[in-house]
Amino acid sequence: MNSTALITGASSGIGMELAKIHASKGGDVVLVARSEDKLNALKSELKAQYGITATLIPADLSQPDAAHTVYKTTLDLGIHIDTLINNAGFGGHGKFHERALREEQAMMQVNMVTLTNLTHLYLKEMVARQHGRILNVSSTASFLPGPLQAVYYATKAYVTSFSQAIAEEVKDQGITVTVLCPGTVATGFVEAGNLEGVDIWKLAKSAESVAACGYQAMEKGTLVAFNERPLQFLLNWVVPLLPRKWVLAISRKTMEKA
């Protein structure tokens, strides 16, 4: 593979596993996350095991200029991005009016704004070359309103909608856009989002299996990818038929702490 993938949130979880998959296929990687120490450790592992080139860009994606800083860095280094994987994101638990507004704003910045900015910057280059792949990591949460995670669910609804729209726009230009919508995943998301005690995470799938699902879907050019068929059926065929008040009550119940 002669391909370079830029992966956000690459220091752990799904992002780290996606980096490993891409490197295992001979692709170079640009690893983006806040933790430089973790990125360095991953860089060493990938270079030793696969002999690929790994470039680090430590960045706080909650900052308004983060996407442009990342893009300028790759430009300055002469790196062409063939595959963009927008994986970085985080959530938070609690009633909206009781949560700190700055945390919700940072969540919107990372989950939506920086993702959108990176996509815009790199997609323009892909269109010019008539070649490229984009994988945006969303969630099954994107198909529901989310009481007790109101902003997180809403940001993921944006990601799923946005991804499908641009996929349609560029489908005839040698570019595919895939949105990955996993259920619960065993990562640092639970601790970071204050979600300990929410029973649904007892069913969490491994980050490795979710990354494999997403990467394979991207390779096939799949539009929307689910890692769990029962959830796919439920969200596509059952939930839309239920009264909205039932959907809200069920959604809230799944997020309540034991």
Side-chain angles (χ1 to χ4, degrees):
M1 175 187 291
N2 183 19
S3 171
T4 300
L6 187 147
I7 305 162
T8 66
S11 61
S12 63
I14 299 171
M16 176 185 288
E17 298 301 333
L18 285 164
K20 290 179 180 178
I21 294 170
H22 191 76
S24 73
K25 295 175 179 289
D28 295 333
V29 292
V30 177
L31 308 173
V32 182
R34 286 185 301 178
S35 176
E36 189 168 1
D37 289 345
K38 291 181 179 180
L39 290 180
N40 269 312
L42 179 59
K43 174 181 178 178
S44 298
E45 178 184 345
L46 297 180
K47 289 182 68 175
Q49 189 164 357
Y50 303 112
I52 56 90
T53 298
T55 303
L56 308 186
I57 306 181
D60 181 354
L61 299 184
S62 69
Q63 297 303 307
D65 62 346
H68 289 85
T69 298
V70 170
Y71 179 68
K72 184 177 185 303
T73 301
T74 57
L75 274 185
D76 292 345
L77 293 172
I79 300 173
H80 295 289
I81 302 302
D82 307 287
T83 300
L84 173 64
I85 299 178
N86 285 306
N87 164 75
F90 69 96
H93 188 273
K95 294 180 179 178
F96 172 69
H97 69 279
E98 294 176 350
R99 286 180 46 78
L101 182 57
R102 65 181 180 277
E103 293 180 6
E104 306 288 43
Q105 291 171 331
M107 191 189 304
M108 291 187 286
Q109 181 69 42
V110 174
N111 295 7
M112 293 190 301
V113 180
T114 297
L115 177 147
T116 302
N117 292 348
L118 286 170
T119 301
H120 186 267
L121 293 166
Y122 288 108
L123 183 57
K124 292 177 76 171
E125 290 193 352
M126 292 178 183
V127 170
R129 294 194 300 269
Q130 294 287 287
H131 173 75
R133 303 184 299 189
I134 296 174
L135 174 63
N136 289 331
V137 179
S138 184
S139 171
T140 51
S142 65
F143 293 86
L144 301 163
L148 303 180
Q149 283 205 85
V151 172
Y152 175 73
Y153 275 52
T155 63
K156 291 304 184 180
Y158 172 86
V159 173
T160 298
S161 175
F162 169 71
S163 300
Q164 293 176 80
I166 61 172
E168 174 65 22
E169 292 175 358
V170 300
K171 67 180 182 180
D172 298 323
Q173 295 178 284
I175 300 160
T176 61
V177 182
T178 298
V179 59
L180 173 62
C181 297
T184 54
V185 189
T187 66
F189 181 89
V190 174
E191 183 178 356
N194 187 30
L195 291 160
E196 297 93 339
V198 177
D199 284 345
I200 195 172
W201 257 269
K202 294 177 181 178
L203 305 174
K205 306 301 182 184
S206 71
E208 184 178 6
S209 67
V210 173
C213 171
Y215 198 95
Q216 290 167 10
M218 179 183 69
E219 288 185 307
K220 294 176 182 177
T222 302
L223 182 60
V224 182
F226 294 84
N227 70 313
E228 298 182 59
R229 287 186 181 275
L231 281 176
Q232 180 179 6
F233 177 80
L234 181 68
L235 293 168
N236 282 331
W237 299 102
V238 178
V239 169
L241 302 178
L242 297 176
R244 183 54 36 169
K245 287 186 177 180
W246 289 16
V247 173
L248 285 167
I250 293 167
S251 181
R252 176 172 183 161
K253 186 66 176 177
T254 62
M255 283 300 112
E256 289 179 341
K257 296 188 176 184

